[in-house]
Amino acid sequence: MQIPTDPNAPGAEVAGATAADPAAELARFLAAQSPYATLPEEERRRLADAARLLGKRGGDAIYRVGDRLDGVFIVAAGRVEVRDANGAHVSTLGPGNSFGERGLLRDGIAATSAAAESETKLILLPAEDFRRVHRAHETVRRFFDRSRAQAARPHDIASTPVGELMSRTPVTGDPDRPVLEIAQMMRDRRVSCVVLIDAEERPIGIVTNRDLTGRVLAAGLPGETPARAVMTADPITLPTNALGVDVLFEMLDHNVGHLPVVEGGRLVGVVTQTDLTRLQALTSATVAREIFTAPDVETAARAVARIPEMLAQLVESGRRHEVVTRLITDIADAATKRMLYFAEQELGPAPVPYVWLACGSQGRREQSGVSDQDNCLIMSDEATEEHAPYFEALADRVTKGLAACGYILCPGDMMASNPRWRQPVRVWRAYFETWIAKPDPMARMLSSVMFDLRAISGDEALYDAVIDGVLKRASSNSIFVAHMISNAVGHAPPLGMFGGVATIRAGEHRATVDLKHNGVAPVIDLARIYALQGRIRPVNTRARLEAAVEGKIISPSGGRDLIDAYDLIAETRLRHQARQARAGAPLDNFMAPATLSDLERSHLRDAFVVVRTMQSALGHGRAAVM
């Protein structure tokens, strides 16, 4: 595709194109943009001399999928919409944003399309000149290669989707088929299981080679016995977007070696232990296995102590922050389940059904290398006073066991060992109803924590019975929403009076930024409000933001900016902790901006500006509600 330069087109005056020395004006414009601001002055001037000035009217195509790219574009004025090969919106770009570099650096072909949303002024940096600058200057490579490196990151057992692990040609059969024929099918197809399905291809049972040995041969059953009589009915299933680590946990939890994979309830594959062994196990999976098989708390604690080393490995290998925190949280989940197992082995089975839940970062699956405990327990309404001592002892043993593993006791005592957070369904329902009806400061704080609940072990139906209808009631109460918004904007990003990154002025953490309370927490709070407004069930922050964009709770451009800002802040936090882990220092959230390059500080400051802007927009909405 060749884009002509039209001196009469809108935007011909971009960056001072009508000045006596347009190239000098372009060089000054580039000096204010990342990453070109890091280039030597003579390099910027050389780039400006080669640049072309373009103008586009609203709706004009800049390039389409499959076009050969002539260079990299910079928006000087106006807005540009980028869409993927399927026509789905990817991002909206404004002044200072570059685009087209991914395709240019890959194979020179556009994998997306770009079009002007309104009258737009563009600068085109020719391909040869951009590639030269990209090769010669590390700051430019780092700036543009970050997202490309993300896409090239390797897969492993922990982060690989089940859809990539499973066999896509599962052997299936009718539940009334004789077991002899089932065995012959397994022999002929060289598989270790047959999934029994109904007329709509939904798995209703599974027969494995272990079932044939233990339930047929050992029991002396005749070959004409229907498979239905020996199958494992209603087998545990997983969706295709589950992770390999989910397979590992389900297999360990339920002592099974085969899991059907479904899409919309319909069988699409089977994943087995053999499939897992085909991939090298990631450290997190190894640690989780050590915890699940630990004979005592001390052994589990030694496994959990490997988290700093694991975090450093994951960050250094280029894993995205949401994958790193998910895998670290999986270890906390494994430790929690093992502590519950130890407690029940000592105390005996629970007298009534219950579910153990995590809140806070564990609930959101966002734990880093520094985590305390936030948990609670919901009992069936069958629970009576005589059952209280059992659950008190259970909670005490689990929270102390987790503390021994390094998960410090919650300073605010928001744990199941506190009787307030160890109650039957009816009491928990009353809690939420009261918080919504009377949103005083304490209620707002508690709601913020409890809206991040996730079931870890036990009867999840009890949690569903509590939370059912809560989002609807909460989102319908405008006063409650307004108070929650007020609470959400309380964590301010660390920006100074003149827009720079503000650091802590005194004390132990002087000259640092708290990347938890002033970094990721403001985004977590925003995402929770969007989830409340849109009645979004996921509790993970990034999932909430994506759902808010999809549900039009926030604008596509604002949402993508906020997701990008969150990604940058969260990854900066993890890189800080990875450096501490490698140095053998205790992990914390206090990072000195001086440890970053000028470019990194600039990116971080821009991310904080995005968060403040979204807080301001939410605050104005709150004022309108109130």
Side-chain angles (χ1 to χ4, degrees):
M1 179 186 73
Q2 185 70 23
I3 305 176
T5 302
D6 181 0
N8 299 314
E13 298 179 2
V14 59
T18 59
D21 189 354
E25 292 296 324
L26 275 171
R28 282 194 286 273
F29 176 82
L30 292 176
Q33 315 301 325
S34 294
Y36 313 105
T38 65
L39 296 175
E41 184 176 351
E42 61 272 18
E43 185 69 275
R44 280 198 302 273
R45 179 58 192 249
R46 185 179 175 186
L47 204 55
D49 286 339
R52 297 166 56 194
L53 310 175
L54 306 173
K56 293 290 180 180
R57 295 182 173 84
D60 285 353
I62 300 168
Y63 56 74
R64 296 181 175 85
V65 174
D67 285 341
R68 179 161 294 280
L69 294 164
D70 292 338
V72 170
F73 298 85
I74 306 172
V75 182
R79 299 178 74 81
V80 170
E81 182 182 40
V82 178
R83 291 183 174 272
D84 66 18
N86 297 315
H89 175 87
V90 174
S91 62
T92 300
L93 307 175
N97 292 145
S98 298
F99 62 101
E101 72 282 348
R102 293 188 187 181
L104 184 67
L105 293 172
R106 185 182 59 251
D107 56 11
I109 303 298
T112 59
S113 64
E117 282 193 349
S118 57
E119 187 172 84
T120 299
K121 303 175 183 180
L122 301 171
I123 300 169
L124 174 63
L125 306 180
E128 182 179 348
D129 296 273
F130 178 79
R131 289 193 179 106
R132 172 180 53 77
V133 170
H134 183 268
R135 286 193 303 268
H137 297 278
E138 182 183 357
T139 54
V140 176
R141 286 199 302 276
R142 288 172 59 197
F143 184 93
F144 287 111
D145 289 359
R146 183 166 178 253
S147 58
R148 295 170 68 231
Q150 296 271 13
R153 286 170 179 173
H155 286 295
D156 46 59
I157 190 175
S159 58
T160 301
V162 169
E164 296 180 21
L165 282 172
M166 69 183 187
S167 165
R168 293 184 177 273
T169 55
V171 178
T172 61
D174 186 282
D176 293 317
R177 198 160 189 168
V179 291
L180 177 60
E181 293 184 16
I182 296 292
Q184 291 168 342
M185 291 169 63
M186 293 168 64
R187 179 201 62 194
D188 295 342
R189 299 287 294 275
R190 296 184 179 180
V191 295
S192 57
C193 73
V194 171
V195 183
L196 307 175
I197 59 175
D198 62 14
E200 297 178 0
E201 298 186 13
R202 294 176 300 192
I204 59 174
I206 187 169
V207 176
T208 68
N209 49 12
R210 188 169 64 179
D211 294 328
L212 293 177
T213 302
R215 298 179 181 178
V216 180
L217 290 177
L221 295 180
E224 59 269 20
T225 302
R228 185 188 301 276
V230 299
M231 72 180 186
T232 298
D234 300 320
I236 299 162
T237 63
L238 286 173
T240 53
N241 62 355
L243 299 179
V245 73
D246 295 320
V247 177
L248 176 65
F249 281 8
E250 291 292 352
M251 287 183 175
L252 289 171
D253 256 358
H254 301 283
N255 191 30
V256 296
H258 305 76
L259 288 172
V261 181
V262 298
E263 212 169 62
R266 180 177 167 271
L267 180 73
V268 293
V270 172
V271 63
T272 70
Q273 287 179 332
T274 303
D275 295 323
L276 296 186
T277 57
R278 284 190 290 104
L279 294 176
Q280 180 181 3
L282 187 67
T283 305
S284 64
T286 305
V287 173
R289 186 184 297 275
E290 291 176 6
I291 294 170
F292 271 118
T293 58
D296 49 44
V297 174
E298 292 73 21
T299 305
R302 286 195 295 272
V304 174
R306 295 175 59 189
I307 284 179
E309 177 189 0
M310 187 194 79
L311 182 147
Q313 289 177 0
L314 290 171
V315 172
E316 290 164 0
S317 66
R319 299 294 185 275
R320 290 182 59 86
H321 72 91
E322 67 269 25
V323 173
V324 177
T325 54
R326 161 64 194 271
L327 297 178
I328 291 174
T329 305
D330 286 340
I331 294 176
D333 290 356
T336 302
K337 291 176 181 179
R338 198 59 178 168
M339 296 308 114
L340 284 164
Y341 171 81
F342 290 150
E344 291 191 5
Q345 286 294 105
E346 182 180 350
L347 300 171
V352 296
Y354 76 94
V355 60
W356 185 281
L357 303 108
C359 40
S361 60
Q362 185 182 0
R364 296 189 305 273
R365 283 185 162 137
E366 293 167 6
Q367 285 192 322
S368 68
V370 187
S371 299
D372 59 2
Q373 293 185 49
D374 290 297
N375 47 57
C376 60
L377 188 150
I378 300 175
M379 296 173 278
S380 162
D381 278 337
E382 301 169 22
T384 64
E385 284 299 321
E386 67 183 37
H387 300 139
Y390 175 91
F391 288 106
E392 179 181 3
L394 179 86
D396 181 68
R397 282 162 173 75
V398 173
T399 53
K400 286 181 178 177
L402 289 172
C405 289
Y407 299 100
I408 63 175
L409 299 173
C410 175
D413 203 20
M414 191 165 288
M415 299 178 294
S417 53
N418 181 340
R420 184 179 187 187
W421 309 124
R422 189 179 66 246
Q423 296 291 336
V425 169
R426 61 181 179 277
V427 175
W428 277 99
R429 280 177 176 159
Y431 282 166
F432 278 99
E433 289 171 2
T434 300
W435 295 335
I436 294 169
K438 299 176 181 178
D440 58 24
M442 180 59 72
R444 297 201 302 270
M445 186 276 290
L446 294 173
S447 297
S448 295
V449 175
M450 294 304 172
F451 274 119
D452 294 349
L453 284 173
R454 180 172 60 89
I456 302 297
S457 182
D459 187 351
E460 294 188 25
L462 298 174
Y463 169 61
D464 293 336
V466 169
I467 208 69
D468 185 44
V470 165
L471 281 176
K472 181 177 180 180
R473 292 195 300 275
S475 62
S476 301
N477 188 321
S478 59
I479 296 175
F480 176 77
V481 173
H483 279 283
M484 286 290 288
I485 291 174
S486 177
N487 195 63
V489 298
H491 287 120
L495 291 170
M497 183 180 299
F498 300 106
V501 176
T503 59
I504 299 170
R505 295 186 177 183
E508 178 186 0
H509 302 297
R510 181 180 177 275
T512 67
V513 172
D514 186 343
L515 290 174
K516 177 180 179 182
H517 290 100
N518 300 110
V520 295
V523 186
I524 291 167
D525 291 339
L526 287 170
R528 190 183 295 113
I529 293 300
Y530 301 147
L532 177 63
Q533 292 174 329
R535 302 177 186 177
I536 297 167
R537 281 299 295 266
V539 297
N540 176 265
T541 297
R542 206 174 191 281
R544 281 172 164 172
L545 294 176
E546 291 173 343
V549 172
E550 185 177 347
K552 297 182 170 50
I553 308 302
I554 49 178
S555 70
S557 58
R560 293 311 312 174
D561 284 347
L562 186 57
I563 291 171
D564 288 345
Y566 177 57
D567 287 344
L568 179 63
I569 297 167
E571 289 183 3
T572 301
R573 179 192 185 199
L574 288 180
R575 286 197 299 273
H576 164 70
Q577 293 184 357
R579 286 193 296 269
Q580 291 178 316
R582 284 304 184 212
L587 274 54
D588 63 29
N589 295 293
F590 298 96
M591 185 202 70
T595 61
L596 302 177
S597 69
D598 291 343
L599 184 61
E600 289 170 329
R601 281 198 301 274
S602 173
H603 282 324
L604 188 61
R605 177 229 174 240
D606 290 345
F608 290 146
V609 169
V610 169
V611 177
R612 175 178 281 183
T613 300
M614 296 301 284
Q615 284 184 326
S616 178
L618 188 65
H620 286 307
R622 183 200 68 223
V625 170
M626 296 179 70

